[in-house]
Amino acid sequence: RRRRESARASERASAGRALGVNMDHDDASAKGRLTADVITNAPRSYDPTGEYALDLRARRIGEIENLSASRDQYDAIDLSANEIVKVENIPRLKRLRTLYLSNNKIARVNGKELATSCPFLRALVLTNNKLGNLADVDGLGECPRLTMLSLIGNPVTMKENYRLYVIYKCKALKTLDFQRVKANEREAAAKTFGADDGAAARAKTFTPGEALPEAKEDVEKEEQVPSGPTPEQLIALKVAIANAETLEEVAKLEQALASGVVPKDLAI
């Protein structure tokens, strides 16, 4: 059997040389492809947590592909320090419990696919990537057994109410960014985002210190309460009426003069 495998390897190498291509799996990895050969020849061992892990770190991999070649034999797969942009195209891996994806370029996670493909996934490490919006983590709520998640080093962590939002979406989380999720955080998350399904949009658009639209309307109404124009404002109104170029402008200014509510844009 070994002689046959050696002969096949020699034939591939000869074919590669004939085409001017190096067929070695390390070269395939260097080109950024996650090929079946790369997966088959990658180091594997039991990690400190006792999980049987496949090591695919630092191979300049640009996209997730061909993971079916792992034959669902691993508790953990380490794809850290690559150039992956999207978390998708993962086959059915029922054994997988932990997925390491730190230090990539990930801007999108297909959470629904991940939940279907890896139904027993418990830990997902996305440290130092490019997830920027709260809505980017929505799909992770589909993973029913996800108890540990790290998003440290992603722009999304700077969003208002980031931690509460992720806790609200991922109901099973016990640890977020290596900090234990507390009962009072769950309660606050439910109060903040549990009222409606538009939580992500609200969290993305709300600016700290800025009044809500309803409050703004109330403030504007209060500002328009007649308090009587000052002498300077009366003069300004009369001058404006005299200089008005349309009947519409005249009517608007005369109404302001009669009501005592001075337009904000009136120059005095």
Side-chain angles (χ1 to χ4, degrees), residues 107-180:
R108 180 176 179 273
V109 178
N110 190 333
K112 291 185 177 180
E113 180 193 276
L114 189 63
T116 301
S117 301
C118 309
F120 296 98
L121 186 70
R122 295 180 305 201
L124 179 61
V125 182
L126 288 162
T127 303
N128 295 332
N129 278 286
K130 298 184 181 298
L131 295 170
N133 295 312
L134 293 176
D136 294 334
V137 303
D138 279 359
L140 295 179
E142 301 286 335
C143 300
R145 294 177 175 83
L146 186 65
T147 58
M148 183 273 177
L149 174 64
S150 174
L151 294 167
I152 292 172
N154 284 266
V156 67
T157 61
M158 304 302 294
K159 295 290 185 180
E160 181 77 7
N161 288 327
Y162 148 75
R163 185 172 174 87
L164 293 183
Y165 184 76
V166 177
I167 292 171
Y168 171 72
K169 282 295 181 179
C170 303
K171 308 295 187 187
L173 273 188
K174 295 181 179 179
T175 304
L176 174 59
D177 296 339
F178 304 104
Q179 294 183 5
R180 191 164 187 81

Side-chain angles (χ1 to χ4, degrees), residues 223-224 233 236-237 240 249 252-253 256 261-268:
E223 291 177 350
Q224 292 178 1
Q233 289 173 329
L237 280 170
E249 288 179 52
K252 180 180 178 181
L253 291 167
V261 179
V262 181
K264 293 182 179 180
D265 57 349
L266 179 64
I268 298 176

Side-chain angles (χ1 to χ4, degrees), residues 212-259:
L212 295 175
E214 296 84 354
K216 287 182 179 179
E217 291 177 1
D218 292 338
V219 170
E220 290 175 357
K221 289 178 180 178
E222 290 177 1
E223 291 177 350
Q224 292 178 1
V225 173
S227 57
T230 65
E232 292 80 8
Q233 289 173 329
L234 285 172
I235 294 171
L237 280 170
K238 292 177 180 178
V239 171
I241 292 172
N243 294 329
E245 297 180 355
T246 65
L247 292 175
E248 184 179 356
E249 288 179 52
V250 171
K252 180 180 178 181
L253 291 167
E254 286 180 342
Q255 182 180 1
L257 184 60
S259 66

